[in-house]
Amino acid sequence: MVNELKPCPFCGSTPRISENKLDYCHILYGIGCFGCAHHSAYVGWFESEDEAIEHWNRRYTDEAK
């Protein structure tokens, strides 16, 4: 799996990966763009960084083919 993040689909900025530490051994990962005002430029929390990246990089045009 390629771990490179696509730019924000709204403003083209580089997104950031966030960690949500629930306790000492459980971390969730999310990705969002903090360079624009689009609240939809964020994906939810995932069990792994790779899963979050996969969801962030998915675009509507990718699924429409």
Side-chain angles (χ1 to χ4, degrees), residues 3-4 9 16-17 20 22 27 29 34 42 49 52 55 59-60 63-64:
N3 287 341
E4 186 173 321
R16 293 188 308 195
I17 298 175
N20 185 2
L22 301 178
I27 300 172
Y29 299 90
F34 300 97
Y42 180 79
E49 194 172 321
H55 281 271
R59 300 293 193 255
Y60 174 75
E63 294 179 3

Side-chain angles (χ1 to χ4, degrees), residues 6-60:
K6 289 183 179 180
C8 174
F10 299 106
C11 72
S13 295
T14 302
R16 293 188 308 195
I17 298 175
S18 301
E19 292 183 1
N20 185 2
K21 297 180 182 182
L22 301 178
D23 55 36
Y24 290 107
C25 62
H26 196 106
I27 300 172
L28 296 177
Y29 299 90
I31 300 175
C33 175
F34 300 97
C36 70
H38 292 279
H39 296 287
S40 58
Y42 180 79
V43 294
W45 296 105
F46 298 92
E47 295 287 327
S48 73
E49 194 172 321
D50 285 340
E51 187 179 6
I53 292 170
E54 179 183 339
H55 281 271
W56 173 264
N57 284 343
R58 188 178 302 145
R59 300 293 193 255
Y60 174 75

